[in-house]
Amino acid sequence: MSRVLAIANQKGGVGKTTTAINLAASLAANDLRVLVIDSDPQGNATTGLGVTKDPDRPSLYHVLLGDTQFPGAIVPTEFEGLSLVPADKNLIGANLELVDLPDRESRLRERLKAIRDDYHYILIDCPPALDLLTLNALLAADAVLVPIQCEFFALEGISELMDTIDRIRDSFEHPLEIEGILLTMFDDRTNLTRQVAADLKEFFADQVFSSVIPRSVRLAEAPSFGKPILAYDPRSRGAESYIKLAKEVLDHEQGRNATQGTR
């Protein structure tokens, strides 16, 4: 059974897509089968993994609202072990089209059941909004990974997401876990970064990953070449940070398995 992680934060520009692409590649580099689901109508994870957006090819939109099953929408990437369910402009209308459907919040979860066992990890790149696409992702996920940029409004934005997660747990009886809070665009030379990091660690304690993602020109450049940072510049600080993050995620999994094994 795979682990499904939704990478979510309703704020834009905090590194969700960068994290989806590069965490997925770092997990795949550990000889794991990994699938990225691009649930953002902007389709940045699609182009960032070197896949051309094509409205005529099956995508997440066709899985959610058409007759396409997941196997028909999955495309390989150039990175071994890493596959993608692309997004394109069709997904823009999905929020409106889902509204009148009886199972509108759980369509992604139900359709994922057919392929969950084919992958070790499935990462869902969510749009920067708490809409029906994000709700579908959170209900399909075992846990949510929250990238946060170390800026003044970080704590204010995450409180809304945490409220949403609590409502999902209560309203849908879905035991959604917090995989971790990830500090992104980290620059410890600034007082603000250090203060926000300290506030987040005080509030979320051990839910904050010890790995942090630095501000990095190489990380920003890599998507324009359609490559994860591991393929674009494997010796960069950005690559090193995502390798460390992948190790933390795998360590979490081992810890959960050990705990379950002693019950």
Side-chain angles (χ1 to χ4, degrees):
M1 198 73 167
S2 68
R3 184 142 176 94
V4 181
L5 303 179
I7 300 175
N9 189 329
Q10 77 274 20
K11 282 181 64 63
V14 298
K16 289 188 296 295
T17 300
T18 299
T19 296
I21 291 170
N22 292 297
L23 175 58
S26 298
L27 290 168
N30 283 274
D31 295 325
L32 300 175
R33 295 186 305 279
V34 182
L35 176 67
V36 171
I37 298 176
D38 191 350
S39 186
D40 187 344
Q42 296 178 78
N44 290 336
T46 299
T47 53
L49 283 170
V51 176
T52 303
K53 284 182 274 192
D54 180 358
D56 296 323
R57 178 183 55 209
S59 66
L60 181 61
Y61 172 85
H62 301 93
V63 173
L64 291 176
L65 290 152
D67 297 326
T68 302
Q69 299 300 312
F70 261 114
I74 294 171
V75 296
T77 71
E78 294 182 3
F79 203 86
E80 186 175 355
L82 178 54
S83 300
L84 170 75
V85 175
D88 56 45
K89 63 183 181 182
N90 288 320
L91 202 55
I92 294 171
N95 277 303
L96 292 175
E97 295 177 53
L98 284 167
V99 167
D100 295 326
L101 300 179
D103 57 345
R104 61 186 183 181
E105 304 96 350
S106 57
R107 291 179 78 84
L108 181 57
R109 178 171 62 185
E110 291 304 312
R111 283 155 179 73
L112 263 183
K113 289 178 180 178
I115 62 163
R116 275 196 67 142
D117 290 344
D118 296 339
Y119 298 92
H120 294 100
Y121 281 91
I122 298 173
L123 307 186
I124 308 173
D125 184 28
C126 297
L130 296 177
D131 56 15
L132 272 173
L133 287 172
T134 298
L135 182 56
N136 265 268
L138 294 176
L139 279 172
D142 301 307
V144 57
L145 189 158
V146 187
I148 297 182
Q149 183 179 355
C150 290
E151 61 174 18
F152 181 72
F153 294 112
L155 281 170
E156 182 179 286
I158 198 173
S159 64
E160 295 178 26
L161 179 60
M162 293 303 162
D163 287 344
T164 299
I165 291 170
D166 286 339
R167 287 197 296 270
I168 286 172
R169 289 167 174 164
D170 295 339
S171 301
F172 297 96
E173 298 181 349
H174 178 49
L176 183 64
E177 301 173 12
I178 304 296
E179 184 69 22
I181 309 297
L182 178 66
L183 305 182
T184 62
M185 305 178 198
F186 192 84
D187 184 354
D188 62 4
R189 296 172 299 178
T190 68
N191 291 332
L192 178 61
T193 292
R194 290 196 297 270
Q195 184 60 54
V196 171
D199 290 345
L200 288 167
K201 288 174 182 176
E202 181 180 354
F203 190 79
F204 291 103
D206 57 1
Q207 289 184 319
V208 179
F209 285 107
S210 60
S211 305
V212 298
I213 309 303
R215 284 195 177 275
S216 167
V217 172
R218 303 300 275 172
L219 265 179
E221 288 175 348
S224 65
F225 291 88
K227 294 180 178 181
I229 190 65
L230 269 181
Y232 180 64
D233 189 351
R235 296 185 178 182
S236 65
R237 288 177 62 220
E240 180 181 319
S241 65
Y242 276 109
I243 290 170
K244 288 180 179 178
L245 176 63
K247 185 178 186 305
E248 276 197 77
V249 170
L250 293 172
D251 286 346
H252 287 180
E253 186 70 9
Q254 288 182 350
R256 274 187 298 271
N257 292 339
T259 301
Q260 292 169 0
T262 57
R263 289 175 182 171

